[in-house]
Amino acid sequence: MRTEYAEQPSPVRTTATQLSTERVLVVDDEPDIVALVAYHLAKAGYRVATAANGQDALGLARRERPAMVVLDLMLPGLSGWDVLEQLRNDDATRDVAVLMLTARKEEADRIRGLSLGADDYLTKPFSPQELVLRVGAILRRVGAAGVAASDMLSIGAVQIDRAAHRVSVDGTEIELTPTEFKLLLMLAERRGRVQARGHLLETVWEAAPDIQTRTVDMHIQRLRTKLGPAGELIETVRGFGYRLRAGQARTA
């Protein structure tokens, strides 16, 4: 079962965000939360669909391919963890952006969500305005990654196709989330230069530089794992940030 919300265009104020046709799927078993989130997203111009459990959410995501899923963790049946993992393991949905929205505030839960491939993590109670801003920031960076320059960037064994949004190591393609791709591309384009955690938060996550620096560390750790031996190209500069080694880089 799903509910869809659509806000009528305002005769007073129309902005680029309000005119967006991007679809957002809101998954939560609390009707009041669903109504609140759906209302503010629809008011901002997004097309909003909803689901109250994990199984319905997966079915909708596979059929309708939303740009983003706003996902609660504590769902009946399949948990939010299970939904996130299945989204990331399915070719049809692996690139869908995911914002976790949950009452679970523990750092371990935040780290687990980011490790499984969530693009951001927001805890309840929350500001609806902040949620809308985070949704917009995630979708902007995902879109920016998708329309990047058309040349191929190679660094050692790593090849980055900026137009096709693909990464391969020694000719074998690896699967990255949109945030991981954006992070790797930024490090590659600024190879040899140290990137502070705060700067990465501002540019990749579009977040204030003084919050959630652990987010960067967890994404770097997952990125290194996916790159395999080539992950050694990403160097930690203790107390400051990260750098991608500059040697043997070329563009085509």
Side-chain angles (χ1 to χ4, degrees), residues 25-40:
L25 173 60
V26 179
V27 186
D28 201 304
D29 63 336
E30 298 183 58
D32 290 346
I33 295 292
V34 170
L36 178 67
V37 174
Y39 169 77
H40 283 278

Side-chain angles (χ1 to χ4, degrees), residues 82-100:
D82 296 327
V83 173
L84 175 58
E85 193 166 13
Q86 291 193 38
L87 288 173
R88 288 294 177 249
N89 289 333
D90 190 328
D91 288 340
T93 58
R94 69 171 70 251
D95 291 331
V96 173
V98 176
L99 169 63
M100 307 300 293

Side-chain angles (χ1 to χ4, degrees), residues 154-168:
S154 298
I155 301 176
V158 179
Q159 297 83 42
I160 304 172
D161 187 336
R162 288 182 278 203
H165 194 177
R166 291 177 179 170
V167 175
S168 60

